[in-house]
Amino acid sequence: MAPRELHTVLSTVAWEQPEIDVLRELCQPAEFIQCKADDKASIQNALKSANIAILASDIESYMLDAPRLAWIHCDHAGLNKSARPEVLENSFVVTSSAGRSAPVLAQHGFFFAMALAYDTRSLLERQTERAWEKGREDFRLRGALWGRKLGILGYGNTAQEMAKLGHAFGMHVTVLRRKKPKMERETPIDVDIMLSDEEGATVEALLDCDVIMIACSLTDRTHHLFGAKEFTRMKPSSVIINMGRGPIVDEEALLHALTTGQIAGAGLDVFEVEPLPKKSQLWDLPNVYITPHSTPGMPNRTGRSIEIISENIRRFKAGKPMLNELHRDDVYTKKS
């Protein structure tokens, strides 16, 4: 990418005013236009001249006709709703704020793992009953996490934090990532086995793990990556935790696996349809923990977004590859 300048910047982020002022300062000497995210008329007017757009939401179809756009930043993590063919056919760069909440997302994944390992639901029931007797010996994972195998799908920001936690818990960590590392180097200390699609590895390599955590992006390639075939090959004592996107898992196949004992349990923060319908049987399963696509707030999360945007402004001006950039192989066209 050739070096470029910021001429006019459109922002729709709903931050506090001091944080918007920081963003405005970062964009100087460009003209800075702040609009509300739902003010389509003002946004359309700003897009007549803007060459940069920093959005609170995904890319809307009407934005694609903007004549000068060179870079769009979406201030959230997953770009699957923007990874449409008509977006990818444009010449502008698309980036996200992926990574700003990675540590707490990883901790959320381990909240699920610990709850399943210690059968928290049963413990709380006994506490309510003031029952002192010890619990069953057949905990979901049949014991603590130490010494267990952790399989992580993906190796972005959240997955890297998961690997660190898995290592700290004394787990054997296997990672399956999309691309092989750009430089030949030793496997990170937090990872015991590093595999990649690019080198021929498949999700099959994770299926003997005790805990499988999903932290990859949703693309046509990863849609329903975990289905009936994969669940039949997992251990009856294993659990799956989805912190990525719902459609990565075939929910019907997951329900069958959970109710027939193919796997021991699941921790789910994301679903094929959100909000999760009240009629979903997943709500009633004792071996499932559900959170509503919501993680406890990351301290200074907006500040972390600003750091990502600031670095990308520097890279944009220098004509260098940008953080969290959307690529053609990220395209997502499938529907659940």
Side-chain angles (χ1 to χ4, degrees), residues 102-241:
V104 293
L105 287 167
Q107 290 175 13
H108 193 147
F110 275 86
F111 156 75
F112 283 138
M114 294 293 288
L116 288 159
Y118 288 95
D119 196 3
T120 301
R121 183 172 283 112
S122 176
L123 289 172
L124 291 175
E125 287 173 356
R126 292 201 305 279
Q127 179 177 334
T128 300
E129 296 167 359
R130 304 189 180 198
W132 182 253
E133 65 267 16
K134 294 182 179 180
R136 303 186 305 270
E137 292 302 318
D138 61 336
F139 283 141
R140 300 299 180 193
L141 291 177
R142 295 184 172 85
L145 298 181
W146 190 92
R148 305 296 176 181
K149 291 183 179 180
L150 170 63
I152 302 173
L153 182 61
Y155 200 57
N157 297 285
T158 299
Q160 291 173 41
E161 295 292 335
M162 287 174 170
K164 292 176 186 177
L165 290 176
H167 179 77
F169 271 105
M171 303 182 79
H172 180 281
V173 180
T174 298
V175 167
L176 176 61
R177 59 190 295 173
R178 186 191 309 188
K179 296 183 180 296
K180 64 181 180 181
K182 293 183 179 179
M183 297 177 60
E184 291 294 332
R185 61 179 183 270
E186 293 183 359
T187 299
I189 191 172
D190 308 312
V191 178
D192 296 284
I193 300 175
M194 180 74 79
L195 305 169
S196 71
D197 292 348
E198 201 169 62
E199 296 171 298
T202 69
V203 72
E204 182 78 21
L206 302 180
L207 300 184
D208 70 336
C209 291
D210 300 291
V211 179
I212 296 176
M213 293 191 180
I214 298 173
C216 64
S217 57
L218 174 61
T219 67
D220 283 352
R221 182 190 65 84
T222 62
H223 180 95
H224 282 190
L225 191 60
F226 276 86
K229 181 180 71 173
E230 288 70 33
F231 290 124
T232 59
R233 297 182 182 181
M234 289 172 63
K235 297 188 291 189
S237 60
S238 65
V239 300
I240 190 165
I241 293 166

Side-chain angles (χ1 to χ4, degrees), residues 31-321:
E31 179 184 4
F32 186 88
I33 304 172
Q34 179 69 33
C35 297
K36 293 184 178 180
D38 60 356
D39 189 348
K40 182 177 178 180
S42 296
I43 293 171
Q44 285 181 309
N45 188 56
L47 285 173
K48 293 176 182 177
S49 58
N51 73 324
I52 310 295
I54 300 173
L55 306 177
S57 59
D58 293 287
I59 300 171
E60 301 288 347
S61 295
Y62 74 85
M63 298 175 179
L64 302 181
D65 296 327
R68 300 186 63 187
L69 273 181
W71 168 32
I72 298 178
H73 181 87
C74 299
D75 187 38
H76 52 76
L79 286 174
N80 51 283
K81 291 182 180 179
S82 291
R84 310 187 303 274
E86 62 269 26
V87 173
L88 291 164
E89 288 165 4
N90 275 273
S91 59
F92 51 68
V93 176
V94 180
T95 61
S96 77
S97 292
R100 64 179 183 176
S101 298
V104 293
L105 287 167
Q107 290 175 13
H108 193 147
F110 275 86
F111 156 75
F112 283 138
M114 294 293 288
L116 288 159
Y118 288 95
D119 196 3
T120 301
R121 183 172 283 112
S122 176
L123 289 172
L124 291 175
E125 287 173 356
R126 292 201 305 279
Q127 179 177 334
T128 300
E129 296 167 359
R130 304 189 180 198
W132 182 253
E133 65 267 16
K134 294 182 179 180
R136 303 186 305 270
E137 292 302 318
D138 61 336
F139 283 141
R140 300 299 180 193
L141 291 177
R142 295 184 172 85
L145 298 181
W146 190 92
R148 305 296 176 181
K149 291 183 179 180
L150 170 63
I152 302 173
L153 182 61
Y155 200 57
N157 297 285
T158 299
Q160 291 173 41
E161 295 292 335
M162 287 174 170
K164 292 176 186 177
L165 290 176
H167 179 77
F169 271 105
M171 303 182 79
H172 180 281
V173 180
T174 298
V175 167
L176 176 61
R177 59 190 295 173
R178 186 191 309 188
K179 296 183 180 296
K180 64 181 180 181
K182 293 183 179 179
M183 297 177 60
E184 291 294 332
R185 61 179 183 270
E186 293 183 359
T187 299
I189 191 172
D190 308 312
V191 178
D192 296 284
I193 300 175
M194 180 74 79
L195 305 169
S196 71
D197 292 348
E198 201 169 62
E199 296 171 298
T202 69
V203 72
E204 182 78 21
L206 302 180
L207 300 184
D208 70 336
C209 291
D210 300 291
V211 179
I212 296 176
M213 293 191 180
I214 298 173
C216 64
S217 57
L218 174 61
T219 67
D220 283 352
R221 182 190 65 84
T222 62
H223 180 95
H224 282 190
L225 191 60
F226 276 86
K229 181 180 71 173
E230 288 70 33
F231 290 124
T232 59
R233 297 182 182 181
M234 289 172 63
K235 297 188 291 189
S237 60
S238 65
V239 300
I240 190 165
I241 293 166
N242 193 357
M243 297 299 300
R245 287 294 183 266
I248 296 171
V249 175
D250 180 338
E251 221 163 83
E252 185 176 341
L254 172 63
L255 183 63
H256 178 77
L258 289 165
T259 54
T260 61
Q262 289 179 348
I263 65 173
L268 306 172
D269 184 54
V270 289
F271 303 88
E272 293 205 67
V273 176
E274 296 181 1
L276 180 65
K278 292 184 182 296
K279 65 181 180 180
S280 172
Q281 296 178 58
L282 290 171
W283 289 110
D284 302 317
L285 297 185
N287 55 345
V288 175
Y289 288 87
I290 289 172
T291 52
H293 202 153
S294 177
T295 291
M298 178 78 185
N300 195 29
R301 189 178 75 162
T302 300
R304 289 169 65 89
S305 281
I306 290 172
E307 290 176 3
I308 294 168
I309 294 169
S310 176
E311 174 61 16
N312 270 343
I313 288 174
R314 185 190 71 79
R315 294 183 181 213
F316 181 82
K317 290 179 176 179
K320 294 183 177 180

